[in-house]
PDB file of all heavy atoms in Angstrom:
ATOM      1  N   GLY W 177      10.814  40.294  49.559  1.00  0.00           N
ATOM      2  CA  GLY W 177      10.581  39.280  48.532  1.00  0.00           C
ATOM      3  C   GLY W 177       9.058  39.160  48.298  1.00  0.00           C
ATOM      4  O   GLY W 177       8.289  39.917  48.781  1.00  0.00           O
ATOM      5  N   SER W 178       8.762  38.155  47.494  1.00  0.00           N
ATOM      6  CA  SER W 178       7.338  37.918  47.185  1.00  0.00           C
ATOM      7  C   SER W 178       7.098  36.417  47.153  1.00  0.00           C
ATOM      8  O   SER W 178       8.091  35.657  46.975  1.00  0.00           O
ATOM      9  CB  SER W 178       6.956  38.547  45.831  1.00  0.00           C
ATOM     10  OG  SER W 178       7.821  37.980  44.781  1.00  0.00           O
ATOM     11  N   ALA W 179       5.896  35.997  47.256  1.00  0.00           N
ATOM     12  CA  ALA W 179       5.588  34.556  47.303  1.00  0.00           C
ATOM     13  C   ALA W 179       4.221  34.305  46.722  1.00  0.00           C
ATOM     14  O   ALA W 179       3.386  35.224  46.700  1.00  0.00           O
ATOM     15  CB  ALA W 179       5.680  34.024  48.698  1.00  0.00           C
ATOM     16  N   ARG W 180       4.051  33.076  46.292  1.00  0.00           N
ATOM     17  CA  ARG W 180       2.680  32.673  45.783  1.00  0.00           C
ATOM     18  C   ARG W 180       2.330  31.316  46.390  1.00  0.00           C
ATOM     19  O   ARG W 180       3.139  30.418  46.510  1.00  0.00           O
ATOM     20  CB  ARG W 180       2.756  32.550  44.242  1.00  0.00           C
ATOM     21  CG  ARG W 180       2.947  33.895  43.515  1.00  0.00           C
ATOM     22  CD  ARG W 180       2.941  33.766  42.047  1.00  0.00           C
ATOM     23  NE  ARG W 180       3.195  35.007  41.362  1.00  0.00           N
ATOM     24  CZ  ARG W 180       2.275  35.900  41.080  1.00  0.00           C
ATOM     25  NH1 ARG W 180       1.022  35.653  41.418  1.00  0.00           N
ATOM     26  NH2 ARG W 180       2.565  37.030  40.517  1.00  0.00           N
ATOM     27  N   TRP W 181       0.988  31.202  46.683  1.00  0.00           N
ATOM     28  CA  TRP W 181       0.474  29.926  47.269  1.00  0.00           C
ATOM     29  C   TRP W 181      -0.885  29.652  46.632  1.00  0.00           C
ATOM     30  O   TRP W 181      -1.589  30.592  46.287  1.00  0.00           O
ATOM     31  CB  TRP W 181       0.311  30.035  48.762  1.00  0.00           C
ATOM     32  CG  TRP W 181       1.568  30.390  49.555  1.00  0.00           C
ATOM     33  CD1 TRP W 181       2.513  29.533  49.932  1.00  0.00           C
ATOM     34  CD2 TRP W 181       1.872  31.618  50.070  1.00  0.00           C
ATOM     35  NE1 TRP W 181       3.494  30.228  50.700  1.00  0.00           N
ATOM     36  CE2 TRP W 181       3.102  31.508  50.760  1.00  0.00           C
ATOM     37  CE3 TRP W 181       1.304  32.894  50.046  1.00  0.00           C
ATOM     38  CZ2 TRP W 181       3.698  32.597  51.412  1.00  0.00           C
ATOM     39  CZ3 TRP W 181       1.898  33.993  50.674  1.00  0.00           C
ATOM     40  CH2 TRP W 181       3.119  33.833  51.360  1.00  0.00           C
ATOM     41  N   ASP W 182      -1.285  28.428  46.663  1.00  0.00           N
ATOM     42  CA  ASP W 182      -2.676  28.087  46.397  1.00  0.00           C
ATOM     43  C   ASP W 182      -3.446  28.549  47.639  1.00  0.00           C
ATOM     44  O   ASP W 182      -2.955  28.482  48.734  1.00  0.00           O
ATOM     45  CB  ASP W 182      -2.809  26.577  46.185  1.00  0.00           C
ATOM     46  CG  ASP W 182      -2.193  26.086  44.940  1.00  0.00           C
ATOM     47  OD1 ASP W 182      -2.144  26.914  43.959  1.00  0.00           O
ATOM     48  OD2 ASP W 182      -1.695  24.932  44.924  1.00  0.00           O
ATOM     49  N   ALA W 183      -4.689  28.962  47.395  1.00  0.00           N
ATOM     50  CA  ALA W 183      -5.540  29.528  48.480  1.00  0.00           C
ATOM     51  C   ALA W 183      -5.677  28.526  49.593  1.00  0.00           C
ATOM     52  O   ALA W 183      -5.706  28.856  50.811  1.00  0.00           O
ATOM     53  CB  ALA W 183      -6.863  29.973  47.880  1.00  0.00           C
ATOM     54  N   GLY W 184      -5.897  27.232  49.236  1.00  0.00           N
ATOM     55  CA  GLY W 184      -6.159  26.256  50.302  1.00  0.00           C
ATOM     56  C   GLY W 184      -5.026  26.060  51.223  1.00  0.00           C
ATOM     57  O   GLY W 184      -5.187  25.634  52.396  1.00  0.00           O
ATOM     58  N   SER W 185      -3.786  26.358  50.848  1.00  0.00           N
ATOM     59  CA  SER W 185      -2.615  26.135  51.683  1.00  0.00           C
ATOM     60  C   SER W 185      -2.536  27.131  52.824  1.00  0.00           C
ATOM     61  O   SER W 185      -1.911  26.926  53.834  1.00  0.00           O
ATOM     62  CB  SER W 185      -1.285  26.219  50.888  1.00  0.00           C
ATOM     63  OG  SER W 185      -1.163  27.572  50.364  1.00  0.00           O
ATOM     64  N   LEU W 186      -3.334  28.288  52.780  1.00  0.00           N
ATOM     65  CA  LEU W 186      -3.369  29.217  53.876  1.00  0.00           C
ATOM     66  C   LEU W 186      -4.750  29.217  54.469  1.00  0.00           C
ATOM     67  O   LEU W 186      -5.127  30.159  55.172  1.00  0.00           O
ATOM     68  CB  LEU W 186      -3.019  30.585  53.328  1.00  0.00           C
ATOM     69  CG  LEU W 186      -1.560  30.787  52.884  1.00  0.00           C
ATOM     70  CD1 LEU W 186      -1.336  32.241  52.385  1.00  0.00           C
ATOM     71  CD2 LEU W 186      -0.584  30.422  53.952  1.00  0.00           C
ATOM     72  N   GLY W 187      -5.549  28.235  54.224  1.00  0.00           N
ATOM     73  CA  GLY W 187      -6.894  28.218  54.865  1.00  0.00           C
ATOM     74  C   GLY W 187      -7.883  29.140  54.202  1.00  0.00           C
ATOM     75  O   GLY W 187      -8.929  29.380  54.794  1.00  0.00           O
ATOM     76  N   VAL W 188      -7.666  29.598  52.999  1.00  0.00           N
ATOM     77  CA  VAL W 188      -8.599  30.488  52.289  1.00  0.00           C
ATOM     78  C   VAL W 188      -9.397  29.704  51.358  1.00  0.00           C
ATOM     79  O   VAL W 188      -8.844  28.747  50.731  1.00  0.00           O
ATOM     80  CB  VAL W 188      -7.737  31.585  51.558  1.00  0.00           C
ATOM     81  CG1 VAL W 188      -8.768  32.511  50.737  1.00  0.00           C
ATOM     82  CG2 VAL W 188      -6.996  32.443  52.582  1.00  0.00           C
ATOM     83  N   PRO W 189     -10.673  29.978  51.139  1.00  0.00           N
ATOM     84  CA  PRO W 189     -11.524  29.148  50.221  1.00  0.00           C
ATOM     85  C   PRO W 189     -10.852  29.054  48.824  1.00  0.00           C
ATOM     86  O   PRO W 189     -10.281  29.986  48.333  1.00  0.00           O
ATOM     87  CB  PRO W 189     -12.817  29.962  50.123  1.00  0.00           C
ATOM     88  CG  PRO W 189     -12.883  30.689  51.425  1.00  0.00           C
ATOM     89  CD  PRO W 189     -11.436  31.008  51.780  1.00  0.00           C
ATOM     90  N   ALA W 190     -10.902  27.852  48.270  1.00  0.00           N
ATOM     91  CA  ALA W 190     -10.270  27.557  46.981  1.00  0.00           C
ATOM     92  C   ALA W 190     -10.744  28.446  45.903  1.00  0.00           C
ATOM     93  O   ALA W 190      -9.953  28.668  44.882  1.00  0.00           O
ATOM     94  CB  ALA W 190     -10.436  26.091  46.662  1.00  0.00           C
ATOM     95  N   ARG W 191     -12.023  28.924  45.879  1.00  0.00           N
ATOM     96  CA  ARG W 191     -12.503  29.794  44.796  1.00  0.00           C
ATOM     97  C   ARG W 191     -11.780  31.075  44.762  1.00  0.00           C
ATOM     98  O   ARG W 191     -11.828  31.724  43.702  1.00  0.00           O
ATOM     99  CB  ARG W 191     -13.942  30.034  45.062  1.00  0.00           C
ATOM    100  CG  ARG W 191     -14.287  30.877  46.386  1.00  0.00           C
ATOM    101  CD  ARG W 191     -15.806  30.983  46.519  1.00  0.00           C
ATOM    102  NE  ARG W 191     -16.124  31.657  47.776  1.00  0.00           N
ATOM    103  CZ  ARG W 191     -16.159  33.014  47.946  1.00  0.00           C
ATOM    104  NH1 ARG W 191     -15.779  33.768  46.921  1.00  0.00           N
ATOM    105  NH2 ARG W 191     -16.425  33.511  49.089  1.00  0.00           N
ATOM    106  N   VAL W 192     -11.002  31.459  45.741  1.00  0.00           N
ATOM    107  CA  VAL W 192     -10.254  32.718  45.738  1.00  0.00           C
ATOM    108  C   VAL W 192      -9.104  32.574  44.675  1.00  0.00           C
ATOM    109  O   VAL W 192      -8.662  33.578  44.106  1.00  0.00           O
ATOM    110  CB  VAL W 192      -9.701  33.044  47.061  1.00  0.00           C
ATOM    111  CG1 VAL W 192      -8.791  34.245  47.037  1.00  0.00           C
ATOM    112  CG2 VAL W 192     -10.834  33.315  48.094  1.00  0.00           C
ATOM    113  N   GLY W 193      -8.690  31.351  44.469  1.00  0.00           N
ATOM    114  CA  GLY W 193      -7.625  31.137  43.466  1.00  0.00           C
ATOM    115  C   GLY W 193      -6.255  31.281  44.052  1.00  0.00           C
ATOM    116  O   GLY W 193      -6.066  30.949  45.222  1.00  0.00           O
ATOM    117  N   GLU W 194      -5.354  31.719  43.243  1.00  0.00           N
ATOM    118  CA  GLU W 194      -3.897  31.853  43.704  1.00  0.00           C
ATOM    119  C   GLU W 194      -3.787  33.072  44.628  1.00  0.00           C
ATOM    120  O   GLU W 194      -4.262  34.156  44.318  1.00  0.00           O
ATOM    121  CB  GLU W 194      -2.966  31.908  42.534  1.00  0.00           C
ATOM    122  CG  GLU W 194      -1.494  31.879  42.994  1.00  0.00           C
ATOM    123  CD  GLU W 194      -0.570  31.917  41.742  1.00  0.00           C
ATOM    124  OE1 GLU W 194      -0.650  32.884  40.991  1.00  0.00           O
ATOM    125  OE2 GLU W 194       0.200  30.963  41.539  1.00  0.00           O
ATOM    126  N   LEU W 195      -3.006  32.936  45.700  1.00  0.00           N
ATOM    127  CA  LEU W 195      -2.591  34.094  46.563  1.00  0.00           C
ATOM    128  C   LEU W 195      -1.181  34.482  46.316  1.00  0.00           C
ATOM    129  O   LEU W 195      -0.335  33.670  46.038  1.00  0.00           O
ATOM    130  CB  LEU W 195      -2.762  33.603  48.017  1.00  0.00           C
ATOM    131  CG  LEU W 195      -4.076  33.139  48.540  1.00  0.00           C
ATOM    132  CD1 LEU W 195      -4.032  32.725  49.984  1.00  0.00           C
ATOM    133  CD2 LEU W 195      -5.174  34.207  48.345  1.00  0.00           C
ATOM    134  N   SER W 196      -0.985  35.781  46.277  1.00  0.00           N
ATOM    135  CA  SER W 196       0.330  36.329  46.193  1.00  0.00           C
ATOM    136  C   SER W 196       0.639  37.251  47.356  1.00  0.00           C
ATOM    137  O   SER W 196      -0.316  37.940  47.867  1.00  0.00           O
ATOM    138  CB  SER W 196       0.559  37.031  44.890  1.00  0.00           C
ATOM    139  OG  SER W 196      -0.369  38.104  44.744  1.00  0.00           O
ATOM    140  N   ALA W 197       1.854  37.339  47.724  1.00  0.00           N
ATOM    141  CA  ALA W 197       2.232  38.211  48.928  1.00  0.00           C
ATOM    142  C   ALA W 197       3.457  38.976  48.640  1.00  0.00           C
ATOM    143  O   ALA W 197       4.412  38.466  48.032  1.00  0.00           O
ATOM    144  CB  ALA W 197       2.311  37.327  50.106  1.00  0.00           C
ATOM    145  N   ASP W 198       3.505  40.204  49.092  1.00  0.00           N
ATOM    146  CA  ASP W 198       4.718  40.956  49.158  1.00  0.00           C
ATOM    147  C   ASP W 198       5.120  41.026  50.649  1.00  0.00           C
ATOM    148  O   ASP W 198       4.342  41.367  51.478  1.00  0.00           O
ATOM    149  CB  ASP W 198       4.478  42.362  48.664  1.00  0.00           C
ATOM    150  CG  ASP W 198       4.214  42.414  47.140  1.00  0.00           C
ATOM    151  OD1 ASP W 198       4.824  41.656  46.421  1.00  0.00           O
ATOM    152  OD2 ASP W 198       3.364  43.179  46.706  1.00  0.00           O
ATOM    153  N   VAL W 199       6.391  40.678  50.860  1.00  0.00           N
ATOM    154  CA  VAL W 199       6.844  40.528  52.199  1.00  0.00           C
ATOM    155  C   VAL W 199       8.167  41.381  52.490  1.00  0.00           C
ATOM    156  O   VAL W 199       9.042  41.342  51.623  1.00  0.00           O
ATOM    157  CB  VAL W 199       7.170  39.029  52.580  1.00  0.00           C
ATOM    158  CG1 VAL W 199       7.632  38.899  54.008  1.00  0.00           C
ATOM    159  CG2 VAL W 199       5.921  38.174  52.311  1.00  0.00           C
ATOM    160  N   GLY W 200       8.185  42.095  53.519  1.00  0.00           N
ATOM    161  CA  GLY W 200       9.326  42.816  53.975  1.00  0.00           C
ATOM    162  C   GLY W 200       9.729  42.455  55.368  1.00  0.00           C
ATOM    163  O   GLY W 200       8.819  42.506  56.291  1.00  0.00           O
ATOM    164  N   LEU W 201      10.967  41.959  55.629  1.00  0.00           N
ATOM    165  CA  LEU W 201      11.362  41.542  56.868  1.00  0.00           C
ATOM    166  C   LEU W 201      12.416  42.409  57.460  1.00  0.00           C
ATOM    167  O   LEU W 201      13.415  42.719  56.730  1.00  0.00           O
ATOM    168  CB  LEU W 201      11.876  40.070  56.816  1.00  0.00           C
ATOM    169  CG  LEU W 201      10.970  39.034  56.191  1.00  0.00           C
ATOM    170  CD1 LEU W 201      11.647  37.632  56.163  1.00  0.00           C
ATOM    171  CD2 LEU W 201       9.579  38.944  56.881  1.00  0.00           C
ATOM    172  N   ASN W 202      12.288  42.837  58.712  1.00  0.00           N
ATOM    173  CA  ASN W 202      13.378  43.512  59.363  1.00  0.00           C
ATOM    174  C   ASN W 202      14.114  42.555  60.318  1.00  0.00           C
ATOM    175  O   ASN W 202      13.397  41.879  61.116  1.00  0.00           O
ATOM    176  CB  ASN W 202      12.814  44.713  60.219  1.00  0.00           C
ATOM    177  CG  ASN W 202      12.102  45.719  59.317  1.00  0.00           C
ATOM    178  OD1 ASN W 202      12.699  46.164  58.328  1.00  0.00           O
ATOM    179  ND2 ASN W 202      10.901  46.086  59.663  1.00  0.00           N
ATOM    180  N   ALA W 203      15.393  42.473  60.278  1.00  0.00           N
ATOM    181  CA  ALA W 203      16.136  41.549  61.027  1.00  0.00           C
ATOM    182  C   ALA W 203      17.460  42.131  61.525  1.00  0.00           C
ATOM    183  O   ALA W 203      17.949  43.189  61.055  1.00  0.00           O
ATOM    184  CB  ALA W 203      16.475  40.267  60.246  1.00  0.00           C
ATOM    185  N   PHE W 204      18.017  41.553  62.565  1.00  0.00           N
ATOM    186  CA  PHE W 204      19.376  41.866  62.998  1.00  0.00           C
ATOM    187  C   PHE W 204      20.205  40.663  62.789  1.00  0.00           C
ATOM    188  O   PHE W 204      19.799  39.464  62.810  1.00  0.00           O
ATOM    189  CB  PHE W 204      19.417  42.396  64.416  1.00  0.00           C
ATOM    190  CG  PHE W 204      19.280  41.344  65.492  1.00  0.00           C
ATOM    191  CD1 PHE W 204      20.298  40.644  65.964  1.00  0.00           C
ATOM    192  CD2 PHE W 204      17.996  41.103  65.990  1.00  0.00           C
ATOM    193  CE1 PHE W 204      20.192  39.669  66.922  1.00  0.00           C
ATOM    194  CE2 PHE W 204      17.867  40.133  67.016  1.00  0.00           C
ATOM    195  CZ  PHE W 204      18.975  39.407  67.434  1.00  0.00           C
ATOM    196  N   PHE W 205      21.530  40.848  62.673  1.00  0.00           N
ATOM    197  CA  PHE W 205      22.464  39.786  62.503  1.00  0.00           C
ATOM    198  C   PHE W 205      23.721  40.066  63.269  1.00  0.00           C
ATOM    199  O   PHE W 205      24.126  41.231  63.474  1.00  0.00           O
ATOM    200  CB  PHE W 205      22.858  39.550  61.013  1.00  0.00           C
ATOM    201  CG  PHE W 205      23.665  40.587  60.394  1.00  0.00           C
ATOM    202  CD1 PHE W 205      25.065  40.491  60.354  1.00  0.00           C
ATOM    203  CD2 PHE W 205      23.017  41.744  59.784  1.00  0.00           C
ATOM    204  CE1 PHE W 205      25.841  41.537  59.811  1.00  0.00           C
ATOM    205  CE2 PHE W 205      23.828  42.739  59.251  1.00  0.00           C
ATOM    206  CZ  PHE W 205      25.183  42.609  59.204  1.00  0.00           C
ATOM    207  N   VAL W 206      24.414  38.968  63.685  1.00  0.00           N
ATOM    208  CA  VAL W 206      25.709  39.027  64.277  1.00  0.00           C
ATOM    209  C   VAL W 206      26.591  37.947  63.653  1.00  0.00           C
ATOM    210  O   VAL W 206      26.060  36.897  63.294  1.00  0.00           O
ATOM    211  CB  VAL W 206      25.637  38.841  65.815  1.00  0.00           C
ATOM    212  CG1 VAL W 206      25.000  40.008  66.532  1.00  0.00           C
ATOM    213  CG2 VAL W 206      25.040  37.539  66.200  1.00  0.00           C
ATOM    214  N   GLU W 207      27.913  38.254  63.578  1.00  0.00           N
ATOM    215  CA  GLU W 207      28.847  37.297  62.933  1.00  0.00           C
ATOM    216  C   GLU W 207      30.181  37.345  63.683  1.00  0.00           C
ATOM    217  O   GLU W 207      30.590  38.414  64.100  1.00  0.00           O
ATOM    218  CB  GLU W 207      29.039  37.554  61.451  1.00  0.00           C
ATOM    219  CG  GLU W 207      28.041  37.043  60.566  1.00  0.00           C
ATOM    220  CD  GLU W 207      28.449  37.085  59.100  1.00  0.00           C
ATOM    221  OE1 GLU W 207      29.297  37.961  58.802  1.00  0.00           O
ATOM    222  OE2 GLU W 207      27.955  36.295  58.319  1.00  0.00           O
ATOM    223  N   ILE W 208      30.810  36.192  63.762  1.00  0.00           N
ATOM    224  CA  ILE W 208      32.221  36.150  64.217  1.00  0.00           C
ATOM    225  C   ILE W 208      32.977  35.507  63.017  1.00  0.00           C
ATOM    226  O   ILE W 208      32.659  34.423  62.586  1.00  0.00           O
ATOM    227  CB  ILE W 208      32.429  35.247  65.476  1.00  0.00           C
ATOM    228  CG1 ILE W 208      31.595  35.801  66.630  1.00  0.00           C
ATOM    229  CG2 ILE W 208      33.899  35.151  65.860  1.00  0.00           C
ATOM    230  CD1 ILE W 208      32.051  37.140  67.121  1.00  0.00           C
ATOM    231  N   GLY W 209      33.925  36.269  62.466  1.00  0.00           N
ATOM    232  CA  GLY W 209      34.729  35.852  61.312  1.00  0.00           C
ATOM    233  C   GLY W 209      36.163  35.949  61.530  1.00  0.00           C
ATOM    234  O   GLY W 209      36.692  36.344  62.568  1.00  0.00           O
ATOM    235  N   TRP W 210      36.909  35.489  60.496  1.00  0.00           N
ATOM    236  CA  TRP W 210      38.340  35.452  60.546  1.00  0.00           C
ATOM    237  C   TRP W 210      38.883  35.764  59.085  1.00  0.00           C
ATOM    238  O   TRP W 210      38.594  35.045  58.216  1.00  0.00           O
ATOM    239  CB  TRP W 210      38.857  34.126  61.005  1.00  0.00           C
ATOM    240  CG  TRP W 210      40.306  34.118  61.444  1.00  0.00           C
ATOM    241  CD1 TRP W 210      41.412  34.221  60.621  1.00  0.00           C
ATOM    242  CD2 TRP W 210      40.777  34.038  62.796  1.00  0.00           C
ATOM    243  NE1 TRP W 210      42.538  34.244  61.354  1.00  0.00           N
ATOM    244  CE2 TRP W 210      42.205  34.131  62.693  1.00  0.00           C
ATOM    245  CE3 TRP W 210      40.150  33.891  64.026  1.00  0.00           C
ATOM    246  CZ2 TRP W 210      42.964  34.045  63.833  1.00  0.00           C
ATOM    247  CZ3 TRP W 210      40.970  33.838  65.157  1.00  0.00           C
ATOM    248  CH2 TRP W 210      42.359  33.889  65.069  1.00  0.00           C
ATOM    249  N   SER W 211      39.696  36.867  59.018  1.00  0.00           N
ATOM    250  CA  SER W 211      40.265  37.199  57.704  1.00  0.00           C
ATOM    251  C   SER W 211      41.628  36.504  57.561  1.00  0.00           C
ATOM    252  O   SER W 211      42.493  36.579  58.445  1.00  0.00           O
ATOM    253  CB  SER W 211      40.510  38.729  57.613  1.00  0.00           C
ATOM    254  OG  SER W 211      39.259  39.440  57.603  1.00  0.00           O
ATOM    255  N   ILE W 212      41.755  35.816  56.425  1.00  0.00           N
ATOM    256  CA  ILE W 212      42.955  35.007  56.161  1.00  0.00           C
ATOM    257  C   ILE W 212      43.557  35.424  54.773  1.00  0.00           C
ATOM    258  O   ILE W 212      42.853  35.318  53.755  1.00  0.00           O
ATOM    259  CB  ILE W 212      42.670  33.467  56.133  1.00  0.00           C
ATOM    260  CG1 ILE W 212      42.018  33.089  57.439  1.00  0.00           C
ATOM    261  CG2 ILE W 212      43.902  32.677  55.855  1.00  0.00           C
ATOM    262  CD1 ILE W 212      41.444  31.713  57.401  1.00  0.00           C
ATOM    263  N   ASP W 213      44.748  35.972  54.808  1.00  0.00           N
ATOM    264  CA  ASP W 213      45.386  36.348  53.555  1.00  0.00           C
ATOM    265  C   ASP W 213      45.703  35.170  52.700  1.00  0.00           C
ATOM    266  O   ASP W 213      46.206  34.122  53.272  1.00  0.00           O
ATOM    267  CB  ASP W 213      46.669  37.119  53.853  1.00  0.00           C
ATOM    268  CG  ASP W 213      46.441  38.521  54.356  1.00  0.00           C
ATOM    269  OD1 ASP W 213      45.265  38.942  54.386  1.00  0.00           O
ATOM    270  OD2 ASP W 213      47.363  39.119  54.856  1.00  0.00           O
ATOM    271  N   ILE W 214      45.525  35.282  51.386  1.00  0.00           N
ATOM    272  CA  ILE W 214      45.832  34.147  50.536  1.00  0.00           C
ATOM    273  C   ILE W 214      46.839  34.501  49.447  1.00  0.00           C
ATOM    274  O   ILE W 214      47.714  33.714  49.091  1.00  0.00           O
ATOM    275  CB  ILE W 214      44.508  33.544  49.819  1.00  0.00           C
ATOM    276  CG1 ILE W 214      43.782  34.637  49.168  1.00  0.00           C
ATOM    277  CG2 ILE W 214      43.749  32.871  50.867  1.00  0.00           C
ATOM    278  CD1 ILE W 214      42.571  34.067  48.358  1.00  0.00           C
ATOM    279  N   PHE W 215      46.840  35.766  48.907  1.00  0.00           N
ATOM    280  CA  PHE W 215      47.750  36.156  47.921  1.00  0.00           C
ATOM    281  C   PHE W 215      47.650  37.707  47.749  1.00  0.00           C
ATOM    282  O   PHE W 215      46.598  38.179  47.373  1.00  0.00           O
ATOM    283  CB  PHE W 215      47.520  35.457  46.563  1.00  0.00           C
ATOM    284  CG  PHE W 215      48.467  35.926  45.455  1.00  0.00           C
ATOM    285  CD1 PHE W 215      49.795  35.437  45.471  1.00  0.00           C
ATOM    286  CD2 PHE W 215      48.066  36.738  44.494  1.00  0.00           C
ATOM    287  CE1 PHE W 215      50.689  35.844  44.517  1.00  0.00           C
ATOM    288  CE2 PHE W 215      48.951  37.158  43.501  1.00  0.00           C
ATOM    289  CZ  PHE W 215      50.243  36.693  43.504  1.00  0.00           C
ATOM    290  N   GLY W 216      48.724  38.452  48.039  1.00  0.00           N
ATOM    291  CA  GLY W 216      48.744  39.834  47.846  1.00  0.00           C
ATOM    292  C   GLY W 216      47.623  40.521  48.619  1.00  0.00           C
ATOM    293  O   GLY W 216      47.447  40.270  49.852  1.00  0.00           O
ATOM    294  N   PRO W 217      46.758  41.287  47.921  1.00  0.00           N
ATOM    295  CA  PRO W 217      45.628  41.947  48.614  1.00  0.00           C
ATOM    296  C   PRO W 217      44.370  41.084  48.832  1.00  0.00           C
ATOM    297  O   PRO W 217      43.419  41.454  49.386  1.00  0.00           O
ATOM    298  CB  PRO W 217      45.270  43.112  47.631  1.00  0.00           C
ATOM    299  CG  PRO W 217      45.640  42.590  46.343  1.00  0.00           C
ATOM    300  CD  PRO W 217      46.874  41.746  46.521  1.00  0.00           C
ATOM    301  N   LEU W 218      44.483  39.823  48.320  1.00  0.00           N
ATOM    302  CA  LEU W 218      43.281  38.919  48.393  1.00  0.00           C
ATOM    303  C   LEU W 218      43.246  38.185  49.702  1.00  0.00           C
ATOM    304  O   LEU W 218      44.233  37.826  50.314  1.00  0.00           O
ATOM    305  CB  LEU W 218      43.371  37.873  47.232  1.00  0.00           C
ATOM    306  CG  LEU W 218      43.406  38.464  45.807  1.00  0.00           C
ATOM    307  CD1 LEU W 218      43.483  37.328  44.832  1.00  0.00           C
ATOM    308  CD2 LEU W 218      42.212  39.337  45.576  1.00  0.00           C
ATOM    309  N   TYR W 219      42.029  37.946  50.203  1.00  0.00           N
ATOM    310  CA  TYR W 219      41.902  37.264  51.466  1.00  0.00           C
ATOM    311  C   TYR W 219      40.534  36.435  51.362  1.00  0.00           C
ATOM    312  O   TYR W 219      39.690  36.726  50.569  1.00  0.00           O
ATOM    313  CB  TYR W 219      41.803  38.195  52.650  1.00  0.00           C
ATOM    314  CG  TYR W 219      40.590  39.133  52.631  1.00  0.00           C
ATOM    315  CD1 TYR W 219      39.435  38.750  53.388  1.00  0.00           C
ATOM    316  CD2 TYR W 219      40.653  40.298  51.990  1.00  0.00           C
ATOM    317  CE1 TYR W 219      38.385  39.616  53.390  1.00  0.00           C
ATOM    318  CE2 TYR W 219      39.549  41.183  52.001  1.00  0.00           C
ATOM    319  CZ  TYR W 219      38.377  40.805  52.726  1.00  0.00           C
ATOM    320  OH  TYR W 219      37.286  41.655  52.724  1.00  0.00           O
ATOM    321  N   ILE W 220      40.378  35.421  52.252  1.00  0.00           N
ATOM    322  CA  ILE W 220      39.180  34.750  52.438  1.00  0.00           C
ATOM    323  C   ILE W 220      38.690  34.958  53.878  1.00  0.00           C
ATOM    324  O   ILE W 220      39.451  35.337  54.722  1.00  0.00           O
ATOM    325  CB  ILE W 220      39.250  33.265  52.159  1.00  0.00           C
ATOM    326  CG1 ILE W 220      40.292  32.582  53.077  1.00  0.00           C
ATOM    327  CG2 ILE W 220      39.631  33.019  50.705  1.00  0.00           C
ATOM    328  CD1 ILE W 220      40.364  31.061  52.948  1.00  0.00           C
ATOM    329  N   ARG W 221      37.372  34.791  54.078  1.00  0.00           N
ATOM    330  CA  ARG W 221      36.737  35.115  55.429  1.00  0.00           C
ATOM    331  C   ARG W 221      35.627  34.070  55.703  1.00  0.00           C
ATOM    332  O   ARG W 221      34.449  34.225  55.258  1.00  0.00           O
ATOM    333  CB  ARG W 221      36.185  36.497  55.409  1.00  0.00           C
ATOM    334  CG  ARG W 221      35.494  36.820  56.720  1.00  0.00           C
ATOM    335  CD  ARG W 221      34.809  38.203  56.557  1.00  0.00           C
ATOM    336  NE  ARG W 221      34.050  38.583  57.756  1.00  0.00           N
ATOM    337  CZ  ARG W 221      32.812  38.255  58.033  1.00  0.00           C
ATOM    338  NH1 ARG W 221      32.107  37.516  57.102  1.00  0.00           N
ATOM    339  NH2 ARG W 221      32.214  38.643  59.121  1.00  0.00           N
TER     340      ARG W 221
END
C-alpha cells in the first residue's frame, strides 16, 4: 500500500511539506473455518 501524512505528524519539520510512503508488509495468517452447504454447489464459510 501507500500512505500520505503531513510532515509534522511524523516529527519531520513542517517545511518538508507532505510525506508519502510506499509500504510492503510480510505477514502470516491462520484461520479456523467451517464450510456449510446452502444450495447445490454453493456454500458459505
Side-chain angles (χ1 to χ4, degrees):
S178 59
R180 294 181 182 276
W181 304 278
D182 292 332
S185 64
L186 295 182
V188 177
R191 64 184 177 82
V192 174
E194 187 180 60
L195 300 179
S196 60
D198 293 320
V199 180
L201 308 180
N202 299 309
F204 74 86
F205 69 93
V206 293
E207 278 190 336
I208 301 296
W210 196 288
S211 294
I212 304 169
D213 288 351
I214 55 175
F215 179 75
L218 302 180
Y219 68 92
I220 59 174
R221 177 187 177 272

